[in-house]
């Protein structure tokens, strides 16, 4: 850049060289400056049980049935007037939804008690590829504790009080797998009141709902995770979902209707489970369980009840593998494909039980069961 300086007699040219330091520093953080931008997916959460298998932002928003342009004080006055109108049996202009329904209920039966509707617990059920874990970042959440709102991250899935992975098969206790959280706005209002009582400056917009730094970060231990939420009144959240590859998967929730899965304990004392949320046909393509070498047991036993290392195949009505009904318990070694067996249960499960003394591994061929597979059924759960 060039500057002209006039000192009264002479006109002087000054050449100033400006160094653009920030762009060079900024570029040092761009690991792949020439790579194309990854498209950012945005999904709207509309179902109470929303299953997600794609990365991106998942947005939920629940609004109260009131005009957005009204201020908080005006909205309260309008609700009080609507309540008085309902009591007098008068029509409610401009009011719809719950208020109008309450008015109709008052006209239909005077003095009849309307039971309070219990808030519904919903969930964002996330599932990834077998060799991935789930990462959920709460970019924003508005769940007021005072209204009974509550959110929770679950390391795994929960359905009807049962968990995947099972409580006894996970390396973490249940109290460490479930993390509950909500917004405690009461602390905000107390702080504002204390500021006013101390004659400190309070911004005119502070009476509105506070904008809190409420970003949270969670990671699962397997390819399944759950974000539960109970928001009875107004509230919202934005959850970003990502998936990360892992080298030693153990527990896997199946989303494909036909695939081959490899199970191994990597020499560790642990239980690993593959569960499919549908009736499935299971067969073994390769097996080595309970022997130190492949030649230790060159046969397959489908009724291994006593050995500590075994492969359990069965099904159950719920997610927890502890309630598994066994169709077969397998041990031994073979490289030949085994026979197919159909599991007609709500949840089909293959569970590898390992003591840590052996390098156990198995290749599982799994597909969705059809009506004609009844002939090869080894287990049919009660309806």
């Amino acid at each position: 850049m060039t500057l002209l300086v006039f000192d009264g007699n002479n006109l002087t040219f000054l050449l100033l060289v400006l160094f653009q330091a920030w762009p060079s520093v900024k570029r040092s953080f761009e690991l792949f400056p020439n790579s194309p931008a990854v498209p950012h997916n945005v999904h709207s959460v509309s179902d109470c049980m929303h299953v997600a298998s794609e990365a991106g932002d998942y947005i939920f928003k629940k609004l109260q049935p009131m005009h957005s342009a009204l201020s908080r004080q005006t909205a309260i006055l309008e609700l009080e007037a609507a309540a008085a109108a309902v009591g007098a049996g008068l029509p409610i202009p401009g009011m719809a939804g719950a208020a109008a329904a309450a008015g109709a209920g008052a006209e239909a039966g005077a003095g009849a008690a309307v039971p309070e509707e219990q808030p519904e617990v919903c969930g964002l059920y996330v599932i990834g590829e077998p060799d991935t874990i789930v990462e959920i970042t709460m970019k924003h959440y508005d769940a007021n504790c005072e209204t009974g709102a509550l959110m929770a991250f679950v390391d795994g899935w929960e359905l009807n009080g049962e968990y995947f992975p099972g409580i006894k098969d996970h390396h973490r206790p249940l109290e460490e797998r479930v993390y509950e959280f909500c917004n405690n706005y009461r602390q905000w209002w107390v702080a504002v009141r204390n500021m006013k009582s101390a004659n400190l400056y309070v911004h005119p917009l502070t009476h509105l709902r506070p904008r809190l730094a409420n970003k949270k970060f969670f990671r699962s231990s397997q390819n399944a995770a759950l974000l539960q939420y109970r928001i009875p009144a107004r509230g919202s959240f934005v959850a970003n979902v990502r998936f990360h590859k892992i080298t030693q998967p153990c527990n896997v929730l199946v989303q494909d209707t036909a695939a081959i899965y490899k199970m191994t304990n990597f020499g560790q004392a642990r239980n690993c489970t593959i569960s499919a949320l549908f009736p499935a046909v299971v067969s073994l393509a390769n097996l080595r369980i309970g022997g130190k070498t492949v030649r230790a047991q060159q046969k397959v036993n489908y009724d291994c009840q006593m050995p500590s290392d075994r492969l359990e195949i069965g099904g159950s009505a719920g997610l927890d593998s502890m309630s598994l009904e066994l169709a077969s318990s397998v041990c031994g070694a073979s490289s030949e494909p085994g026979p197919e067996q159909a599991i007609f249960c709500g949840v089909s499960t293959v569970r590898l039980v390992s003591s840590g003394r052996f390098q156990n591994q198995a290749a599982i061929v799994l597909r969705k069961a059809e009506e004609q597979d009844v002939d090869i059924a080894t287990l049919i759960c009660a309806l």
Side-chain angles (χ1 to χ4, degrees):
M1 183 176 70
T2 303
L3 294 181
L4 299 179
V5 180
F6 183 70
D7 58 2
N9 297 320
N10 300 317
L11 187 64
T12 304
F13 292 89
L14 295 179
L15 181 62
L16 301 180
V17 179
L18 300 181
F19 295 93
Q20 296 182 352
W22 167 243
S24 62
V25 175
K26 184 178 180 181
R27 280 195 296 272
S28 66
F29 292 95
E30 297 174 358
L31 300 180
F32 308 100
N34 297 324
S35 61
V38 178
H40 186 72
N41 297 324
V42 178
H43 311 269
S44 177
V45 179
S46 55
D47 299 329
C48 185
M49 183 178 177
H50 190 106
V51 180
S53 59
E54 297 181 5
D57 286 346
Y58 288 82
I59 302 175
F60 171 83
K61 191 171 185 180
K62 183 176 182 179
L63 298 176
Q64 291 177 335
M66 62 177 61
H67 199 281
S68 59
L70 295 176
S71 66
R72 183 172 180 270
Q73 292 81 1
T74 306
I76 292 175
L77 293 175
E78 186 179 58
L79 289 175
E80 291 177 350
V86 170
L90 299 176
I92 311 171
M95 295 295 290
E107 293 177 0
V114 179
E116 184 178 354
E117 185 176 344
Q118 294 297 325
E120 191 174 20
V121 178
C122 298
L124 176 64
Y125 291 79
V126 185
I127 182 171
E129 295 298 322
D131 59 343
T132 62
I133 59 174
V134 181
E135 175 186 294
I136 297 181
T137 302
M138 300 302 301
K139 290 185 173 181
H140 158 82
Y141 62 92
D142 179 13
N144 191 351
C145 304
E146 296 298 315
T147 63
L150 184 65
M151 301 190 68
F153 170 81
V154 180
D155 185 3
W157 275 23
E158 183 273 332
L159 282 174
N160 300 323
E162 296 191 4
Y163 291 86
F164 173 87
I167 296 176
K168 293 186 178 180
D169 289 343
H170 204 279
H171 65 280
R172 300 168 61 191
L174 184 60
E175 55 268 19
E176 295 182 6
R177 294 172 57 188
V178 180
Y179 180 85
E180 298 180 344
F181 57 97
C182 59
N183 300 104
N184 191 349
Y185 293 126
R186 178 185 292 272
Q187 295 179 355
W188 175 272
W189 305 128
V190 171
V192 172
R193 186 178 59 206
N194 292 340
M195 291 174 64
K196 290 182 178 180
S197 61
N199 295 325
L200 298 177
Y201 173 75
V202 179
H203 195 275
L205 296 181
T206 309
H207 69 279
L208 299 177
R209 180 167 295 197
R211 298 179 62 87
L212 302 179
N214 53 10
K215 192 171 184 178
K216 292 187 180 296
F217 172 86
F218 305 101
R219 272 193 178 182
S220 68
S221 305
Q222 60 288 312
N223 72 325
L226 169 62
L227 181 65
Q228 289 182 320
Y229 57 95
R230 181 188 65 202
I231 303 179
R234 175 182 175 183
S236 61
F237 67 80
V238 179
N240 178 262
V241 173
R242 298 177 64 189
F243 300 97
H244 299 279
K245 293 284 186 178
I246 56 175
T247 58
Q248 296 185 3
C250 180
N251 297 299
V252 175
L253 197 62
V254 173
Q255 62 174 329
D256 296 326
T257 55
I260 300 177
Y261 301 92
K262 182 179 180 180
M263 300 184 72
T264 178
N265 68 327
F266 296 98
Q268 303 177 28
R270 65 177 186 177
N271 299 334
C272 298
T273 303
I274 293 179
S275 291
L277 303 181
F278 49 81
V281 175
V282 180
S283 62
L284 306 179
N286 193 2
L287 186 71
R288 187 180 67 189
I289 297 177
K292 294 185 178 179
T293 63
V294 176
R295 299 175 182 176
Q297 268 185 314
Q298 286 293 343
K299 63 179 181 178
V300 178
N301 184 357
Y302 281 84
D303 191 21
C304 296
Q305 299 296 334
M306 296 302 294
S308 57
D309 293 62
R310 61 190 183 275
L311 187 72
E312 298 177 343
I313 302 175
S316 59
L319 285 177
D320 199 336
S321 58
M322 289 297 99
S323 59
L324 182 69
E325 295 185 45
L326 281 180
S328 57
S329 183
V330 189
C331 59
S334 176
S335 57
E336 299 295 328
E340 289 188 328
Q341 51 181 314
I343 309 297
F344 282 91
C345 298
V347 179
S348 305
T349 298
V350 179
R351 183 169 178 254
L352 178 61
V353 180
S354 301
S355 63
R357 295 183 297 157
F358 309 109
Q359 290 279 353
N360 298 324
Q361 64 181 36
I364 314 298
V365 181
L366 190 147
R367 64 176 176 86
K368 191 172 183 179
E370 306 292 343
E371 291 185 6
Q372 60 269 23
D373 294 319
V374 175
D375 297 336
I376 57 172
T378 57
L379 178 63
I380 299 179
C381 293
L383 297 178

